[in-house]
PDB file of all heavy atoms in Angstrom:
ATOM      1  N   ALA A  14      14.839  -5.378 -23.440  1.00  0.00           N
ATOM      2  CA  ALA A  14      14.963  -5.331 -21.994  1.00  0.00           C
ATOM      3  C   ALA A  14      15.276  -6.713 -21.425  1.00  0.00           C
ATOM      4  O   ALA A  14      14.798  -7.725 -21.927  1.00  0.00           O
ATOM      5  CB  ALA A  14      13.674  -4.795 -21.376  1.00  0.00           C
ATOM      6  N   LYS A  15      16.094  -6.719 -20.383  1.00  0.00           N
ATOM      7  CA  LYS A  15      16.460  -7.962 -19.717  1.00  0.00           C
ATOM      8  C   LYS A  15      15.255  -8.529 -18.970  1.00  0.00           C
ATOM      9  O   LYS A  15      14.530  -7.801 -18.302  1.00  0.00           O
ATOM     10  CB  LYS A  15      17.606  -7.697 -18.745  1.00  0.00           C
ATOM     11  CG  LYS A  15      18.092  -8.927 -18.009  1.00  0.00           C
ATOM     12  CD  LYS A  15      19.223  -8.567 -17.060  1.00  0.00           C
ATOM     13  CE  LYS A  15      19.686  -9.785 -16.275  1.00  0.00           C
ATOM     14  NZ  LYS A  15      20.775  -9.429 -15.323  1.00  0.00           N
ATOM     15  N   HIS A  16      15.049  -9.832 -19.110  1.00  0.00           N
ATOM     16  CA  HIS A  16      13.938 -10.484 -18.414  1.00  0.00           C
ATOM     17  C   HIS A  16      14.221 -10.528 -16.921  1.00  0.00           C
ATOM     18  O   HIS A  16      15.287 -10.966 -16.489  1.00  0.00           O
ATOM     19  CB  HIS A  16      13.739 -11.902 -18.950  1.00  0.00           C
ATOM     20  CG  HIS A  16      12.627 -12.641 -18.252  1.00  0.00           C
ATOM     21  ND1 HIS A  16      11.299 -12.466 -18.593  1.00  0.00           N
ATOM     22  CD2 HIS A  16      12.653 -13.540 -17.234  1.00  0.00           C
ATOM     23  CE1 HIS A  16      10.551 -13.238 -17.812  1.00  0.00           C
ATOM     24  NE2 HIS A  16      11.357 -13.893 -16.987  1.00  0.00           N
ATOM     25  N   ARG A  17      13.270 -10.058 -16.137  1.00  0.00           N
ATOM     26  CA  ARG A  17      13.425 -10.062 -14.687  1.00  0.00           C
ATOM     27  C   ARG A  17      12.809 -11.328 -14.106  1.00  0.00           C
ATOM     28  O   ARG A  17      11.636 -11.618 -14.349  1.00  0.00           O
ATOM     29  CB  ARG A  17      12.739  -8.852 -14.056  1.00  0.00           C
ATOM     30  CG  ARG A  17      13.409  -7.516 -14.312  1.00  0.00           C
ATOM     31  CD  ARG A  17      12.682  -6.433 -13.533  1.00  0.00           C
ATOM     32  NE  ARG A  17      13.197  -5.103 -13.769  1.00  0.00           N
ATOM     33  CZ  ARG A  17      14.191  -4.540 -13.083  1.00  0.00           C
ATOM     34  NH1 ARG A  17      14.776  -5.221 -12.115  1.00  0.00           N
ATOM     35  NH2 ARG A  17      14.587  -3.316 -13.354  1.00  0.00           N
ATOM     36  N   PRO A  18      13.540 -12.056 -13.290  1.00  0.00           N
ATOM     37  CA  PRO A  18      12.947 -13.206 -12.597  1.00  0.00           C
ATOM     38  C   PRO A  18      12.098 -12.726 -11.422  1.00  0.00           C
ATOM     39  O   PRO A  18      12.314 -11.624 -10.901  1.00  0.00           O
ATOM     40  CB  PRO A  18      14.176 -13.979 -12.107  1.00  0.00           C
ATOM     41  CG  PRO A  18      15.222 -12.917 -11.905  1.00  0.00           C
ATOM     42  CD  PRO A  18      14.979 -11.898 -13.003  1.00  0.00           C
ATOM     43  N   LEU A  19      11.159 -13.525 -11.008  1.00  0.00           N
ATOM     44  CA  LEU A  19      10.311 -13.193  -9.867  1.00  0.00           C
ATOM     45  C   LEU A  19      11.014 -13.656  -8.598  1.00  0.00           C
ATOM     46  O   LEU A  19      10.945 -14.827  -8.225  1.00  0.00           O
ATOM     47  CB  LEU A  19       8.938 -13.848 -10.004  1.00  0.00           C
ATOM     48  CG  LEU A  19       7.941 -13.580  -8.870  1.00  0.00           C
ATOM     49  CD1 LEU A  19       7.647 -12.094  -8.747  1.00  0.00           C
ATOM     50  CD2 LEU A  19       6.649 -14.360  -9.107  1.00  0.00           C
ATOM     51  N   ASN A  20      11.701 -12.724  -7.946  1.00  0.00           N
ATOM     52  CA  ASN A  20      12.449 -13.048  -6.735  1.00  0.00           C
ATOM     53  C   ASN A  20      11.777 -12.552  -5.465  1.00  0.00           C
ATOM     54  O   ASN A  20      12.023 -13.092  -4.383  1.00  0.00           O
ATOM     55  CB  ASN A  20      13.859 -12.455  -6.804  1.00  0.00           C
ATOM     56  CG  ASN A  20      14.690 -13.062  -7.913  1.00  0.00           C
ATOM     57  OD1 ASN A  20      14.548 -14.242  -8.218  1.00  0.00           O
ATOM     58  ND2 ASN A  20      15.538 -12.265  -8.534  1.00  0.00           N
ATOM     59  N   SER A  21      10.956 -11.500  -5.599  1.00  0.00           N
ATOM     60  CA  SER A  21      10.321 -10.948  -4.410  1.00  0.00           C
ATOM     61  C   SER A  21       9.048 -10.207  -4.787  1.00  0.00           C
ATOM     62  O   SER A  21       8.896  -9.729  -5.911  1.00  0.00           O
ATOM     63  CB  SER A  21      11.273 -10.006  -3.664  1.00  0.00           C
ATOM     64  OG  SER A  21      11.632  -8.909  -4.477  1.00  0.00           O
ATOM     65  N   VAL A  22       8.168 -10.122  -3.819  1.00  0.00           N
ATOM     66  CA  VAL A  22       6.913  -9.399  -4.002  1.00  0.00           C
ATOM     67  C   VAL A  22       6.544  -8.753  -2.679  1.00  0.00           C
ATOM     68  O   VAL A  22       6.779  -9.314  -1.598  1.00  0.00           O
ATOM     69  CB  VAL A  22       5.791 -10.346  -4.495  1.00  0.00           C
ATOM     70  CG1 VAL A  22       5.544 -11.469  -3.511  1.00  0.00           C
ATOM     71  CG2 VAL A  22       4.501  -9.581  -4.769  1.00  0.00           C
ATOM     72  N   LEU A  23       6.031  -7.547  -2.747  1.00  0.00           N
ATOM     73  CA  LEU A  23       5.597  -6.813  -1.560  1.00  0.00           C
ATOM     74  C   LEU A  23       4.073  -6.821  -1.535  1.00  0.00           C
ATOM     75  O   LEU A  23       3.439  -6.444  -2.524  1.00  0.00           O
ATOM     76  CB  LEU A  23       6.146  -5.388  -1.593  1.00  0.00           C
ATOM     77  CG  LEU A  23       6.090  -4.573  -0.302  1.00  0.00           C
ATOM     78  CD1 LEU A  23       7.150  -3.478  -0.332  1.00  0.00           C
ATOM     79  CD2 LEU A  23       4.717  -3.932  -0.103  1.00  0.00           C
ATOM     80  N   ILE A  24       3.498  -7.245  -0.420  1.00  0.00           N
ATOM     81  CA  ILE A  24       2.054  -7.469  -0.336  1.00  0.00           C
ATOM     82  C   ILE A  24       1.450  -6.595   0.750  1.00  0.00           C
ATOM     83  O   ILE A  24       1.972  -6.534   1.872  1.00  0.00           O
ATOM     84  CB  ILE A  24       1.765  -8.955  -0.033  1.00  0.00           C
ATOM     85  CG1 ILE A  24       2.487  -9.852  -1.037  1.00  0.00           C
ATOM     86  CG2 ILE A  24       0.260  -9.227  -0.063  1.00  0.00           C
ATOM     87  CD1 ILE A  24       2.601 -11.296  -0.590  1.00  0.00           C
ATOM     88  N   LYS A  25       0.346  -5.935   0.407  1.00  0.00           N
ATOM     89  CA  LYS A  25      -0.348  -5.060   1.356  1.00  0.00           C
ATOM     90  C   LYS A  25      -1.764  -5.597   1.587  1.00  0.00           C
ATOM     91  O   LYS A  25      -2.725  -5.107   0.989  1.00  0.00           O
ATOM     92  CB  LYS A  25      -0.374  -3.636   0.819  1.00  0.00           C
ATOM     93  CG  LYS A  25       1.016  -2.999   0.759  1.00  0.00           C
ATOM     94  CD  LYS A  25       0.952  -1.597   0.205  1.00  0.00           C
ATOM     95  CE  LYS A  25       2.308  -0.903   0.299  1.00  0.00           C
ATOM     96  NZ  LYS A  25       2.710  -0.524   1.659  1.00  0.00           N
ATOM     97  N   PRO A  26      -1.905  -6.594   2.474  1.00  0.00           N
ATOM     98  CA  PRO A  26      -3.202  -7.260   2.627  1.00  0.00           C
ATOM     99  C   PRO A  26      -4.280  -6.399   3.279  1.00  0.00           C
ATOM    100  O   PRO A  26      -5.467  -6.701   3.152  1.00  0.00           O
ATOM    101  CB  PRO A  26      -2.874  -8.472   3.496  1.00  0.00           C
ATOM    102  CG  PRO A  26      -1.658  -8.070   4.257  1.00  0.00           C
ATOM    103  CD  PRO A  26      -0.870  -7.204   3.321  1.00  0.00           C
ATOM    104  N   THR A  27      -3.884  -5.323   3.969  1.00  0.00           N
ATOM    105  CA  THR A  27      -4.875  -4.409   4.552  1.00  0.00           C
ATOM    106  C   THR A  27      -4.879  -3.062   3.840  1.00  0.00           C
ATOM    107  O   THR A  27      -5.482  -2.097   4.329  1.00  0.00           O
ATOM    108  CB  THR A  27      -4.606  -4.175   6.051  1.00  0.00           C
ATOM    109  OG1 THR A  27      -3.318  -3.546   6.200  1.00  0.00           O
ATOM    110  CG2 THR A  27      -4.639  -5.479   6.824  1.00  0.00           C
ATOM    111  N   GLY A  28      -4.236  -3.002   2.679  1.00  0.00           N
ATOM    112  CA  GLY A  28      -4.177  -1.740   1.951  1.00  0.00           C
ATOM    113  C   GLY A  28      -3.606  -0.631   2.823  1.00  0.00           C
ATOM    114  O   GLY A  28      -2.618  -0.829   3.534  1.00  0.00           O
ATOM    115  N   PRO A  29      -4.253   0.532   2.842  1.00  0.00           N
ATOM    116  CA  PRO A  29      -3.764   1.653   3.643  1.00  0.00           C
ATOM    117  C   PRO A  29      -4.273   1.656   5.083  1.00  0.00           C
ATOM    118  O   PRO A  29      -3.961   2.579   5.847  1.00  0.00           O
ATOM    119  CB  PRO A  29      -4.311   2.864   2.877  1.00  0.00           C
ATOM    120  CG  PRO A  29      -5.596   2.366   2.304  1.00  0.00           C
ATOM    121  CD  PRO A  29      -5.364   0.911   1.960  1.00  0.00           C
ATOM    122  N   ASP A  30      -5.049   0.649   5.467  1.00  0.00           N
ATOM    123  CA  ASP A  30      -5.635   0.629   6.810  1.00  0.00           C
ATOM    124  C   ASP A  30      -4.562   0.438   7.875  1.00  0.00           C
ATOM    125  O   ASP A  30      -3.679  -0.424   7.740  1.00  0.00           O
ATOM    126  CB  ASP A  30      -6.666  -0.490   6.941  1.00  0.00           C
ATOM    127  CG  ASP A  30      -7.887  -0.265   6.069  1.00  0.00           C
ATOM    128  OD1 ASP A  30      -7.933   0.747   5.346  1.00  0.00           O
ATOM    129  OD2 ASP A  30      -8.800  -1.110   6.105  1.00  0.00           O
ATOM    130  N   CYS A  31      -4.662   1.215   8.943  1.00  0.00           N
ATOM    131  CA  CYS A  31      -3.689   1.140  10.019  1.00  0.00           C
ATOM    132  C   CYS A  31      -4.353   1.525  11.333  1.00  0.00           C
ATOM    133  O   CYS A  31      -5.305   2.318  11.353  1.00  0.00           O
ATOM    134  CB  CYS A  31      -2.508   2.068   9.735  1.00  0.00           C
ATOM    135  SG  CYS A  31      -1.126   1.864  10.893  1.00  0.00           S
ATOM    136  N   ASN A  32      -3.848   0.982  12.417  1.00  0.00           N
ATOM    137  CA  ASN A  32      -4.348   1.334  13.745  1.00  0.00           C
ATOM    138  C   ASN A  32      -3.575   2.488  14.367  1.00  0.00           C
ATOM    139  O   ASN A  32      -3.832   2.860  15.511  1.00  0.00           O
ATOM    140  CB  ASN A  32      -4.314   0.110  14.670  1.00  0.00           C
ATOM    141  CG  ASN A  32      -2.964  -0.584  14.692  1.00  0.00           C
ATOM    142  OD1 ASN A  32      -2.108  -0.353  13.832  1.00  0.00           O
ATOM    143  ND2 ASN A  32      -2.746  -1.434  15.683  1.00  0.00           N
ATOM    144  N   LEU A  33      -2.633   3.053  13.610  1.00  0.00           N
ATOM    145  CA  LEU A  33      -1.911   4.242  14.059  1.00  0.00           C
ATOM    146  C   LEU A  33      -2.206   5.414  13.131  1.00  0.00           C
ATOM    147  O   LEU A  33      -2.801   5.259  12.066  1.00  0.00           O
ATOM    148  CB  LEU A  33      -0.406   3.984  14.117  1.00  0.00           C
ATOM    149  CG  LEU A  33       0.088   2.902  15.087  1.00  0.00           C
ATOM    150  CD1 LEU A  33       1.611   2.940  15.190  1.00  0.00           C
ATOM    151  CD2 LEU A  33      -0.542   3.043  16.456  1.00  0.00           C
ATOM    152  N   ASP A  34      -1.755   6.577  13.559  1.00  0.00           N
ATOM    153  CA  ASP A  34      -1.978   7.803  12.790  1.00  0.00           C
ATOM    154  C   ASP A  34      -0.694   8.626  12.807  1.00  0.00           C
ATOM    155  O   ASP A  34      -0.672   9.763  13.270  1.00  0.00           O
ATOM    156  CB  ASP A  34      -3.141   8.594  13.400  1.00  0.00           C
ATOM    157  CG  ASP A  34      -3.648   9.705  12.478  1.00  0.00           C
ATOM    158  OD1 ASP A  34      -3.338   9.648  11.271  1.00  0.00           O
ATOM    159  OD2 ASP A  34      -4.325  10.615  12.973  1.00  0.00           O
ATOM    160  N   CYS A  35       0.376   8.040  12.289  1.00  0.00           N
ATOM    161  CA  CYS A  35       1.689   8.682  12.312  1.00  0.00           C
ATOM    162  C   CYS A  35       1.708   9.924  11.418  1.00  0.00           C
ATOM    163  O   CYS A  35       1.208   9.902  10.293  1.00  0.00           O
ATOM    164  CB  CYS A  35       2.763   7.701  11.871  1.00  0.00           C
ATOM    165  SG  CYS A  35       2.821   6.192  12.874  1.00  0.00           S
ATOM    166  N   SER A  36       2.306  10.976  11.921  1.00  0.00           N
ATOM    167  CA  SER A  36       2.278  12.267  11.225  1.00  0.00           C
ATOM    168  C   SER A  36       2.918  12.217   9.849  1.00  0.00           C
ATOM    169  O   SER A  36       2.479  12.901   8.917  1.00  0.00           O
ATOM    170  CB  SER A  36       3.002  13.324  12.071  1.00  0.00           C
ATOM    171  OG  SER A  36       2.456  13.414  13.357  1.00  0.00           O
ATOM    172  N   TYR A  37       3.968  11.419   9.703  1.00  0.00           N
ATOM    173  CA  TYR A  37       4.730  11.429   8.457  1.00  0.00           C
ATOM    174  C   TYR A  37       4.309  10.341   7.469  1.00  0.00           C
ATOM    175  O   TYR A  37       4.913  10.197   6.411  1.00  0.00           O
ATOM    176  CB  TYR A  37       6.233  11.311   8.731  1.00  0.00           C
ATOM    177  CG  TYR A  37       6.639  10.176   9.642  1.00  0.00           C
ATOM    178  CD1 TYR A  37       6.380   8.849   9.316  1.00  0.00           C
ATOM    179  CD2 TYR A  37       7.305  10.430  10.843  1.00  0.00           C
ATOM    180  CE1 TYR A  37       6.767   7.811  10.141  1.00  0.00           C
ATOM    181  CE2 TYR A  37       7.699   9.401  11.681  1.00  0.00           C
ATOM    182  CZ  TYR A  37       7.423   8.091  11.328  1.00  0.00           C
ATOM    183  OH  TYR A  37       7.805   7.066  12.146  1.00  0.00           O
ATOM    184  N   CYS A  38       3.290   9.556   7.808  1.00  0.00           N
ATOM    185  CA  CYS A  38       2.914   8.440   6.942  1.00  0.00           C
ATOM    186  C   CYS A  38       2.403   8.916   5.583  1.00  0.00           C
ATOM    187  O   CYS A  38       1.535   9.782   5.506  1.00  0.00           O
ATOM    188  CB  CYS A  38       1.848   7.581   7.614  1.00  0.00           C
ATOM    189  SG  CYS A  38       1.388   6.127   6.630  1.00  0.00           S
ATOM    190  N   PHE A  39       2.938   8.328   4.527  1.00  0.00           N
ATOM    191  CA  PHE A  39       2.520   8.686   3.173  1.00  0.00           C
ATOM    192  C   PHE A  39       1.426   7.770   2.654  1.00  0.00           C
ATOM    193  O   PHE A  39       0.830   8.045   1.603  1.00  0.00           O
ATOM    194  CB  PHE A  39       3.721   8.618   2.214  1.00  0.00           C
ATOM    195  CG  PHE A  39       4.166   7.218   1.891  1.00  0.00           C
ATOM    196  CD1 PHE A  39       3.723   6.581   0.743  1.00  0.00           C
ATOM    197  CD2 PHE A  39       5.016   6.521   2.746  1.00  0.00           C
ATOM    198  CE1 PHE A  39       4.122   5.272   0.450  1.00  0.00           C
ATOM    199  CE2 PHE A  39       5.422   5.229   2.462  1.00  0.00           C
ATOM    200  CZ  PHE A  39       4.976   4.606   1.310  1.00  0.00           C
ATOM    201  N   TYR A  40       1.139   6.665   3.372  1.00  0.00           N
ATOM    202  CA  TYR A  40       0.263   5.653   2.787  1.00  0.00           C
ATOM    203  C   TYR A  40      -1.190   5.746   3.234  1.00  0.00           C
ATOM    204  O   TYR A  40      -2.080   5.223   2.560  1.00  0.00           O
ATOM    205  CB  TYR A  40       0.804   4.247   3.069  1.00  0.00           C
ATOM    206  CG  TYR A  40       0.484   3.290   1.934  1.00  0.00           C
ATOM    207  CD1 TYR A  40       1.206   3.331   0.750  1.00  0.00           C
ATOM    208  CD2 TYR A  40      -0.553   2.385   2.031  1.00  0.00           C
ATOM    209  CE1 TYR A  40       0.901   2.492  -0.314  1.00  0.00           C
ATOM    210  CE2 TYR A  40      -0.871   1.525   0.980  1.00  0.00           C
ATOM    211  CZ  TYR A  40      -0.138   1.594  -0.187  1.00  0.00           C
ATOM    212  OH  TYR A  40      -0.461   0.762  -1.242  1.00  0.00           O
ATOM    213  N   LEU A  41      -1.466   6.387   4.348  1.00  0.00           N
ATOM    214  CA  LEU A  41      -2.846   6.488   4.823  1.00  0.00           C
ATOM    215  C   LEU A  41      -3.750   7.141   3.781  1.00  0.00           C
ATOM    216  O   LEU A  41      -4.911   6.762   3.609  1.00  0.00           O
ATOM    217  CB  LEU A  41      -2.901   7.279   6.134  1.00  0.00           C
ATOM    218  CG  LEU A  41      -2.273   6.618   7.363  1.00  0.00           C
ATOM    219  CD1 LEU A  41      -2.309   7.578   8.549  1.00  0.00           C
ATOM    220  CD2 LEU A  41      -2.997   5.317   7.716  1.00  0.00           C
ATOM    221  N   GLU A  42      -3.212   8.107   3.065  1.00  0.00           N
ATOM    222  CA  GLU A  42      -4.013   8.830   2.072  1.00  0.00           C
ATOM    223  C   GLU A  42      -4.358   7.982   0.853  1.00  0.00           C
ATOM    224  O   GLU A  42      -5.203   8.371   0.038  1.00  0.00           O
ATOM    225  CB  GLU A  42      -3.273  10.093   1.628  1.00  0.00           C
ATOM    226  CG  GLU A  42      -1.959   9.831   0.915  1.00  0.00           C
ATOM    227  CD  GLU A  42      -1.156  11.098   0.682  1.00  0.00           C
ATOM    228  OE1 GLU A  42      -1.122  11.969   1.573  1.00  0.00           O
ATOM    229  OE2 GLU A  42      -0.557  11.218  -0.404  1.00  0.00           O
ATOM    230  N   LYS A  43      -3.725   6.811   0.714  1.00  0.00           N
ATOM    231  CA  LYS A  43      -4.038   5.938  -0.417  1.00  0.00           C
ATOM    232  C   LYS A  43      -5.450   5.369  -0.327  1.00  0.00           C
ATOM    233  O   LYS A  43      -5.935   4.773  -1.298  1.00  0.00           O
ATOM    234  CB  LYS A  43      -3.031   4.786  -0.490  1.00  0.00           C
ATOM    235  CG  LYS A  43      -1.600   5.230  -0.728  1.00  0.00           C
ATOM    236  CD  LYS A  43      -1.427   5.957  -2.049  1.00  0.00           C
ATOM    237  CE  LYS A  43       0.019   6.356  -2.270  1.00  0.00           C
ATOM    238  NZ  LYS A  43       0.221   7.110  -3.534  1.00  0.00           N
ATOM    239  N   SER A  44      -6.107   5.555   0.811  1.00  0.00           N
ATOM    240  CA  SER A  44      -7.499   5.109   0.928  1.00  0.00           C
ATOM    241  C   SER A  44      -8.386   5.789  -0.111  1.00  0.00           C
ATOM    242  O   SER A  44      -9.447   5.268  -0.471  1.00  0.00           O
ATOM    243  CB  SER A  44      -8.033   5.391   2.333  1.00  0.00           C
ATOM    244  OG  SER A  44      -7.966   6.778   2.631  1.00  0.00           O
ATOM    245  N   GLU A  45      -7.952   6.945  -0.627  1.00  0.00           N
ATOM    246  CA  GLU A  45      -8.697   7.648  -1.675  1.00  0.00           C
ATOM    247  C   GLU A  45      -8.784   6.818  -2.952  1.00  0.00           C
ATOM    248  O   GLU A  45      -9.689   7.019  -3.766  1.00  0.00           O
ATOM    249  CB  GLU A  45      -8.032   9.000  -1.975  1.00  0.00           C
ATOM    250  CG  GLU A  45      -8.143  10.015  -0.842  1.00  0.00           C
ATOM    251  CD  GLU A  45      -9.590  10.419  -0.583  1.00  0.00           C
ATOM    252  OE1 GLU A  45     -10.284  10.766  -1.557  1.00  0.00           O
ATOM    253  OE2 GLU A  45     -10.018  10.380   0.580  1.00  0.00           O
ATOM    254  N   LEU A  46      -7.846   5.892  -3.136  1.00  0.00           N
ATOM    255  CA  LEU A  46      -7.864   5.037  -4.323  1.00  0.00           C
ATOM    256  C   LEU A  46      -8.857   3.890  -4.196  1.00  0.00           C
ATOM    257  O   LEU A  46      -9.208   3.259  -5.192  1.00  0.00           O
ATOM    258  CB  LEU A  46      -6.467   4.461  -4.577  1.00  0.00           C
ATOM    259  CG  LEU A  46      -5.350   5.436  -4.938  1.00  0.00           C
ATOM    260  CD1 LEU A  46      -4.025   4.698  -5.011  1.00  0.00           C
ATOM    261  CD2 LEU A  46      -5.649   6.129  -6.260  1.00  0.00           C
ATOM    262  N   PHE A  47      -9.277   3.620  -2.971  1.00  0.00           N
ATOM    263  CA  PHE A  47     -10.122   2.448  -2.710  1.00  0.00           C
ATOM    264  C   PHE A  47     -11.373   2.857  -1.927  1.00  0.00           C
ATOM    265  O   PHE A  47     -11.618   2.377  -0.823  1.00  0.00           O
ATOM    266  CB  PHE A  47      -9.317   1.391  -1.940  1.00  0.00           C
ATOM    267  CG  PHE A  47      -7.950   1.130  -2.502  1.00  0.00           C
ATOM    268  CD1 PHE A  47      -6.807   1.528  -1.819  1.00  0.00           C
ATOM    269  CD2 PHE A  47      -7.795   0.493  -3.727  1.00  0.00           C
ATOM    270  CE1 PHE A  47      -5.544   1.288  -2.329  1.00  0.00           C
ATOM    271  CE2 PHE A  47      -6.534   0.257  -4.261  1.00  0.00           C
ATOM    272  CZ  PHE A  47      -5.407   0.652  -3.563  1.00  0.00           C
ATOM    273  N   LYS A  48     -12.131   3.751  -2.510  1.00  0.00           N
ATOM    274  CA  LYS A  48     -13.294   4.319  -1.831  1.00  0.00           C
ATOM    275  C   LYS A  48     -14.498   3.383  -1.784  1.00  0.00           C
ATOM    276  O   LYS A  48     -15.497   3.692  -1.127  1.00  0.00           O
ATOM    277  CB  LYS A  48     -13.703   5.624  -2.516  1.00  0.00           C
ATOM    278  CG  LYS A  48     -12.699   6.755  -2.365  1.00  0.00           C
ATOM    279  CD  LYS A  48     -13.205   8.027  -3.036  1.00  0.00           C
ATOM    280  CE  LYS A  48     -12.252   9.184  -2.845  1.00  0.00           C
ATOM    281  NZ  LYS A  48     -12.746  10.429  -3.506  1.00  0.00           N
ATOM    282  N   GLN A  49     -14.404   2.244  -2.475  1.00  0.00           N
ATOM    283  CA  GLN A  49     -15.549   1.336  -2.521  1.00  0.00           C
ATOM    284  C   GLN A  49     -15.915   0.821  -1.133  1.00  0.00           C
ATOM    285  O   GLN A  49     -17.060   0.452  -0.882  1.00  0.00           O
ATOM    286  CB  GLN A  49     -15.254   0.143  -3.444  1.00  0.00           C
ATOM    287  CG  GLN A  49     -14.998   0.527  -4.900  1.00  0.00           C
ATOM    288  CD  GLN A  49     -13.532   0.845  -5.159  1.00  0.00           C
ATOM    289  OE1 GLN A  49     -12.762   1.101  -4.229  1.00  0.00           O
ATOM    290  NE2 GLN A  49     -13.145   0.837  -6.427  1.00  0.00           N
ATOM    291  N   SER A  50     -14.934   0.793  -0.231  1.00  0.00           N
ATOM    292  CA  SER A  50     -15.179   0.287   1.112  1.00  0.00           C
ATOM    293  C   SER A  50     -14.325   1.054   2.112  1.00  0.00           C
ATOM    294  O   SER A  50     -13.184   1.405   1.811  1.00  0.00           O
ATOM    295  CB  SER A  50     -14.852  -1.207   1.196  1.00  0.00           C
ATOM    296  OG  SER A  50     -14.916  -1.669   2.528  1.00  0.00           O
ATOM    297  N   PRO A  51     -14.866   1.323   3.323  1.00  0.00           N
ATOM    298  CA  PRO A  51     -14.069   2.019   4.335  1.00  0.00           C
ATOM    299  C   PRO A  51     -13.030   1.108   4.994  1.00  0.00           C
ATOM    300  O   PRO A  51     -12.087   1.582   5.623  1.00  0.00           O
ATOM    301  CB  PRO A  51     -15.123   2.472   5.349  1.00  0.00           C
ATOM    302  CG  PRO A  51     -16.227   1.471   5.213  1.00  0.00           C
ATOM    303  CD  PRO A  51     -16.253   1.103   3.759  1.00  0.00           C
ATOM    304  N   VAL A  52     -13.228  -0.212   4.858  1.00  0.00           N
ATOM    305  CA  VAL A  52     -12.299  -1.186   5.422  1.00  0.00           C
ATOM    306  C   VAL A  52     -11.719  -2.012   4.282  1.00  0.00           C
ATOM    307  O   VAL A  52     -12.448  -2.435   3.378  1.00  0.00           O
ATOM    308  CB  VAL A  52     -12.995  -2.114   6.439  1.00  0.00           C
ATOM    309  CG1 VAL A  52     -12.021  -3.156   6.967  1.00  0.00           C
ATOM    310  CG2 VAL A  52     -13.571  -1.294   7.594  1.00  0.00           C
TER     311      VAL A  52
END
């Protein structure tokens, strides 16, 4: 496999936490992966 250089990274510092409740959001449910804390 070709070696990939590190050119970009996507960071989620608040995880799935959001102040909105958009109907189509796919990420709010990811809180199930991080049940250790509600925040």
Side-chain angles (χ1 to χ4, degrees):
K15 181 180 178 181
H16 179 82
R17 289 185 183 272
L19 180 61
N20 295 326
S21 62
V22 60
L23 194 156
I24 307 163
K25 293 179 173 288
T27 62
D30 294 1
C31 189
N32 51 345
L33 298 190
D34 193 18
C35 303
S36 304
Y37 51 61
C38 183
F39 73 96
Y40 213 77
L41 292 175
E42 64 189 40
K43 297 298 181 182
S44 59
E45 292 295 310
L46 295 174
F47 313 110
K48 293 182 177 180
Q49 298 88 342
S50 172
V52 178

